[in-house]
Amino acid sequence: MSDLYEDRKMQMFPHLTPAQVARVAALGQQRRVPAGEILFEQGDQNNQFMVVVSGAIEVVQPVDGHEVPITVHDAGEFTGEINLLSGRRSQVRGRMRDAGEVIALDHDAFRHLVQRDAELSEIIMRAFILRRMGLIEHHQGDTILIGSRHSGNTLRIKEFLTRNNHPYTYFDVETDHEVQALLDRFHVGVKDVPITICRYTYVLRNPTIEQVADCLGLSGALSPEKVRDVVVVGAGPAGLAAAVYAASEGLDVLVLEGNAPGGQAGSSSKIENYLGFPTGISGGALAGRARTQAEKFGAEIATARSAVGIDCPTRPYAVKLANGDVVRGRTVIVATGAEYRKPELPNLERFEGVGVYYAASFLEGQMCGGEEAVVVGGANSAGQAAVFLSQLTRRVHVLVRRPQLSETMSQYLIERITNNDNIRLHTRTVIEELDGGEHLESIRWKNLDTGEQNESPIRHAFMMTGASPNTHWLQGCLALDEKGFIKTGTDLTGDELKAARWPLPRSPRLMETSLPGIFAVGDVRSSSVKRVASAVGEGSICVQLIHKTLAEL
Ligand SMILES: Cc1cc2nc3c(=O)[nH]c(=O)nc-3n(C[C@H](O)[C@H](O)[C@H](O)COP(=O)(O)OP(=O)(O)OC[C@H]3O[C@@H](n4cnc5c(N)ncnc54)[C@H](O)[C@@H]3O)c2cc1C
């Protein structure tokens, strides 16, 4: 146990060898620093990467006028965590404790180092990821969230912060004693929940995720003049794969994500059939790694930035964002995936986040607190949710419209469901009514063959009922199939190309839409296989076609 701890600590705070320090020095500047100098402040952006040559840097978390010690870097150690890759705000303060010398690398030089030096890249990336995990585990960040289990918006912001791997401290107005002191201090009341306090300074009352992202510096300003090689819309598995391959091949890539990276996969507790992870991997972990990988290669990822339209006839293409910004790309990859179709139930929206959920990750599982839950749907996502929730709840009822699961669910999940005493499968059954007060309190369902109805005092329903493509934002720019998925390549008919005024003598390439240079990958693409691996495959293959298209311009 203690060996493991020591091992992890060494990976988190490694000492570089003199030869490794010399390679860093070749890209940076060495300078003397007196004791007491602040090297980086909590909230600062685009900080330098520093290696201690002599002396020591102390890293602390400023909280409410005092400092919580985090670590001390001595000779051979380096500063930073995952935010250095993206230039996002520092969560901590760094001060020279003992006078000495440091080597400092600016953002570009640091990127150059991690992209070109494989040995140092591995050491630094591992340390950065472990340091960020440490900040999250110990709630050592600059963000406070005050919320309530009776507020759906609280869950929305928790999900946003968690999926962005942003450390925060949570206080619940119903259960945490310290809450009143906090509310008084920041001059807010229970009616304002959820309240986000950024950098212990800025108070956001019941904010949107865009406001949270702006306040925390999760997304920077996007230049309307800069023309990128490729703008990727959507950071699910397909968009992230496109970003990793495009950036690693030297293209200038901007990724726009309406929420947090990960997409549908990010809402899964465990993906077990993705190649290379025999014990499975949570969607959140997969997305976090992919995002770090994309940022390491230089992709810019803007979260909480929804695309609301493309100016179709003009090239370079202009993608319009919900906040009014416009970004430009010589090519565009549409990777906006799909989202659950909401069943038509009268009270559905009222209970969203307070009993009705569209994801089944650890965060939503925690909300169930050992009670019973209902999962609606018969696809793999519903099966995974049921198996996962069976560990956290007293009983899971799976409601499926069809007579059996075999047409819609993988065999390994069917076996787990049928062999699990905690899961009860109700075939030919539909959900009919949700009822409750501030929180969902009861659910009624009906058997379609017998007409028999059942009303149970169940407070948690997970809706996993088929997916609709996220294509409404395209506003008719691209040819779609009858279900609204984007048509590409040879699936596009002559009439569709004529209607779209396809201007080139060549036909659309594989995954190219009815507009040249706009590609569609992953779940949003008509006739694609709706799986993580195929989304990742399409995102990466597409980059080859982007190169060919850029060569034409
Ligand atoms: C709970 C669950 C479990 C699953 N388990 C498995 C599994 O075990 N194995 C497997 O292979 N597959 C699984 N799947 C399916 C798999 O997750 C999807 O096939 C995959 O995520 C599709 O990836 P994508 O990138 O094409 O789209 P998505 O994952 O849907 O990502 C699309 C992204 O685009 C963003 N977006 C949408 N509109 C906009 C806009 N206008 N502007 C900016 N951004 C936008 C979304 O926020 C989202 O992040 C599961 C799905 C779910 C829901």
Side-chain angles (χ1 to χ4, degrees):
M1 176 75 188
S2 86
D3 278 357
L4 267 179
Y5 174 76
E6 280 306 314
D7 203 32
R8 184 165 171 171
K9 210 171 149 206
M10 274 169 62
Q11 294 185 333
M12 224 167 163
F13 302 110
H15 284 81
L16 302 183
T17 63
Q20 289 165 341
V21 173
R23 297 212 296 274
V24 178
L27 295 172
Q29 274 156 8
Q30 191 161 333
R31 68 177 175 101
R32 271 208 78 74
V33 185
E37 183 177 314
I38 302 283
L39 294 164
F40 49 93
E41 186 54 273
Q42 186 181 54
D44 282 357
Q45 280 176 296
N46 295 316
N47 288 305
Q48 291 180 316
F49 171 78
M50 290 177 201
V51 176
V52 183
V53 178
S54 60
I57 298 174
E58 60 183 345
V59 178
V60 298
Q61 186 196 17
V63 181
D64 225 2
H66 68 279
E67 291 181 343
V68 179
I70 293 186
T71 191
V72 174
H73 297 304
D74 56 24
E77 288 191 56
F78 53 85
T79 60
E81 51 100 28
I82 217 77
N83 65 336
L84 272 198
L85 282 177
S86 55
R88 280 193 283 275
R89 289 201 173 100
S90 173
Q91 300 289 310
V92 292
R93 173 184 293 157
R95 183 194 293 110
M96 205 69 189
R97 192 191 66 178
D98 306 331
E101 292 196 36
V102 300
I103 301 163
L105 268 64
D106 66 18
H107 196 56
D108 288 344
F110 174 62
R111 277 258 173 84
H112 184 92
L113 179 75
V114 289
Q115 285 170 17
R116 309 279 160 89
D117 191 318
E119 187 193 28
L120 278 171
S121 171
E122 190 180 330
I123 296 169
I124 294 168
M125 295 302 291
R126 191 189 301 119
F128 277 13
I129 291 168
L130 290 173
R131 288 178 192 180
R132 175 52 68 114
M133 281 165 61
L135 290 176
I136 292 173
E137 267 168 35
H138 299 106
H139 308 286
Q140 283 172 318
D142 59 355
T143 309
I144 296 174
L145 175 63
I146 304 172
S148 158
R149 71 181 77 158
H150 301 301
S151 132
N153 280 347
T154 298
L155 179 63
R156 196 171 43 82
I157 293 178
K158 271 185 172 184
E159 284 174 340
F160 180 69
L161 294 172
T162 306
R163 289 191 197 173
N164 272 297
N165 289 324
H166 191 88
Y168 66 97
T169 312
Y170 177 68
F171 294 93
D172 194 290
V173 285
E174 273 91 29
T175 52
D176 287 316
H177 305 301
E178 308 95 312
V179 156
Q180 194 54 52
L182 270 175
L183 294 175
D184 292 347
R185 211 191 114 202
F186 289 102
H187 310 291
V188 281
V190 172
K191 65 177 184 338
D192 299 317
V193 297
I195 300 155
T196 309
I197 300 162
C198 320
R199 290 178 273 148
Y200 297 101
T201 311
Y202 303 103
V203 177
L204 303 176
R205 297 169 169 83
N206 193 11
T208 60
I209 56 167
E210 290 82 359
Q211 289 168 322
V212 173
D214 288 346
C215 192
L216 298 176
L218 292 176
S219 288
L222 298 171
S223 160
E225 273 86 42
K226 189 170 177 184
V227 180
R228 322 270 176 161
D229 293 325
V230 51
V231 173
V232 181
V233 188
L240 287 170
V244 167
Y245 280 84
S248 69
E249 290 169 21
L251 299 181
D252 179 6
V253 188
L254 170 68
V255 184
L256 302 172
E257 167 52 52
N259 197 306
Q264 294 168 74
S267 69
S268 167
S269 57
K270 203 181 237 193
I271 295 165
E272 290 192 65
N273 54 4
Y274 187 55
L275 189 74
F277 295 92
T279 55
I281 180 165
S282 78
L286 188 66
R289 289 173 189 211
R291 177 201 188 138
T292 304
Q293 205 172 2
E295 288 182 335
K296 171 180 124 172
F297 287 121
E300 186 180 351
I301 300 183
T303 62
R305 292 284 182 267
S306 286
V308 292
I310 298 186
D311 195 0
C312 356
T314 345
R315 288 184 84 173
Y317 291 112
V319 180
K320 298 175 210 158
L321 275 61
N323 66 356
D325 284 355
V326 172
V327 294
R328 287 170 213 285
R330 279 180 269 277
T331 61
V332 175
I333 297 179
V334 179
T336 45
E339 63 188 13
Y340 286 118
R341 261 195 304 276
K342 297 186 178 183
E344 288 191 15
L345 288 169
N347 280 331
L348 192 72
E349 283 187 11
R350 181 173 142 206
F351 295 120
E352 284 175 351
V354 282
V356 168
Y357 317 101
Y358 299 99
S361 69
F362 186 66
L363 209 55
E364 293 81 16
Q366 270 182 322
M367 313 284 290
C368 298
E371 301 175 34
E372 287 189 63
V374 160
V375 172
V376 185
N380 275 357
S381 51
Q384 266 179 25
V387 172
F388 170 65
L389 292 167
S390 70
Q391 300 156 34
L392 300 175
T393 58
R394 194 146 45 84
R395 165 150 296 143
V396 181
H397 300 268
V398 180
L399 313 187
V400 193
R401 185 181 283 272
R402 291 173 188 252
Q404 70 271 317
L405 291 173
S406 56
E407 288 163 38
T408 49
M409 198 179 279
S410 298
Q411 191 56 31
Y412 82 96
L413 283 168
I414 298 177
E415 279 167 22
R416 284 193 200 165
I417 286 178
T418 42
N419 292 325
N420 189 323
D421 292 340
N422 238 9
I423 302 179
R424 192 161 291 170
L425 178 64
H426 305 260
T427 53
R428 295 288 294 146
T429 301
V430 291
I431 190 161
E432 282 213 321
E433 197 173 280
L434 305 170
D435 211 348
E438 281 187 335
H439 196 281
L440 176 65
E441 281 161 20
S442 78
I443 301 176
R444 182 154 57 84
W445 63 76
K446 184 172 102 177
N447 184 292
L448 291 170
D449 293 333
T450 62
E452 191 189 333
Q453 294 188 336
N454 179 301
E455 181 150 1
S456 296
I458 297 179
R459 291 165 26 88
H460 307 281
F462 292 78
M463 303 296 180
M464 314 219 130
T465 44
S468 309
N470 284 320
T471 45
H472 45 277
W473 67 277
L474 290 164
Q475 300 177 353
C477 245
L478 305 178
L480 308 177
D481 70 13
E482 65 288 354
K483 289 186 177 158
F485 291 88
I486 302 173
K487 290 186 81 170
T488 55
T490 50
D491 285 352
L492 286 157
T493 64
D495 286 347
E496 282 163 339
L497 291 177
K498 209 165 149 198
R501 301 207 180 116
W502 178 263
L504 303 179
R506 68 163 175 82
S507 310
R509 300 197 157 98
L510 188 73
M511 292 182 249
E512 196 170 23
T513 67
S514 51
L515 283 180
I518 301 188
F519 293 80
V521 293
D523 278 17
V524 77
R525 197 175 70 77
S526 177
S527 69
S528 71
V529 176
K530 311 302 185 222
R531 289 279 185 274
V532 175
S534 37
V536 168
E538 291 193 7
S540 41
I541 292 168
C542 180
V543 173
Q544 293 306 310
L545 309 167
I546 293 275
H547 283 299
K548 285 190 181 165
T549 307
L550 288 172
E552 282 173 355
L553 298 176

